[in-house]
Amino acid sequence: QVLILGSAGKIESIIRSVIPPGEAPIAAAGIAVTRSNEVWISDSANHRVIMLDSSGEFERVIGHGAPSQSSDGFDQPAGLAIDLDGNLYVADTGNQVVKKFSPTGVFLEALGDGWLNTPTSVAVNSSGQVFVSDEAAHLIAVFAADGTYVGSISDDRLSDPHNAKIDGDMLYVVDRLAG
């Protein structure tokens, strides 16, 4: 289920029906919400990403239900992000890339092929730059809006950068092992 909380932290509503008809229960690993309140949920164990419409009803699924290297398949999808154009970014952990899809779920491109080890989270800023937390490499990989690798953010304090999010000009990183 998906809990929707108001700004005061109180539950405003609950979406209970997040399993596509006839499918296995989800193992949620990431969530992203579009401007029109559609909800994308990554289902890591079932190698898919599910979209719910603004009323919480099943809308569509990307993925095949088993590990896949195809453009529209996943191997343990994790973190999700939505850019200003409504495109969906999926940290495809097992395939070591981030996949970008149109707002309707059409594959557009893969970022990070050859640059990423264990992508677990993705964030996109207002300029379209993409930031990917890479646990195994102990860094945040940075890609330009056109998908070109431009470098990384790393220092001795990044041990296990697991989750990254953007708020305005600030990049927030959850590091589970930082000490």
Side-chain angles (χ1 to χ4, degrees):
Q1 67 187 5
V2 175
L3 304 176
I4 301 172
L5 298 125
S7 59
K10 293 185 179 181
I11 296 174
E12 304 247 336
S13 63
I14 299 173
I15 299 172
R16 295 187 192 280
S17 174
V18 297
I19 301 172
E23 297 285 336
I26 69 166
I31 188 169
V33 181
T34 68
R35 289 184 185 177
S36 55
N37 293 322
E38 297 155 328
V39 178
W40 286 98
I41 301 170
S42 62
D43 181 1
S44 185
N46 295 300
H47 312 285
R48 62 190 178 184
V49 179
I50 298 165
M51 180 199 207
L52 307 174
D53 66 17
S54 59
S55 65
E57 296 298 318
F58 171 76
E59 180 80 17
R60 73 177 55 93
V61 65
I62 306 171
H64 306 291
S68 173
Q69 293 181 340
S70 69
S71 60
D72 64 345
F74 304 104
D75 185 355
Q76 300 175 357
L80 305 175
I82 306 286
D83 69 14
L84 292 177
D85 294 326
N87 297 310
L88 172 69
Y89 294 76
V90 181
D92 189 358
T93 305
N95 286 321
Q96 301 174 313
V97 295
V98 169
K99 292 183 178 175
K100 179 180 177 182
F101 296 87
S102 73
T104 59
V106 175
F107 175 79
L108 298 174
E109 67 179 317
L111 290 77
D113 191 19
W115 293 104
L116 299 172
N117 292 309
T118 311
T120 56
S121 181
V122 59
V124 183
N125 70 13
S126 61
S127 301
Q129 283 184 302
V130 180
F131 299 83
V132 182
S133 61
D134 189 328
E135 287 182 341
H138 313 289
L139 56 77
I140 303 294
V142 183
F143 299 87
D146 67 1
T148 305
Y149 176 77
V150 296
S152 63
I153 302 167
S154 64
D155 67 26
D156 293 339
R157 293 174 287 186
L158 281 176
S159 299
D160 186 26
H162 182 72
N163 202 337
K165 294 296 174 200
I166 301 244
D167 184 24
D169 293 333
M170 302 298 291
L171 173 66
Y172 294 85
V173 178
V174 172
D175 190 319
R176 298 185 298 189
L177 299 176

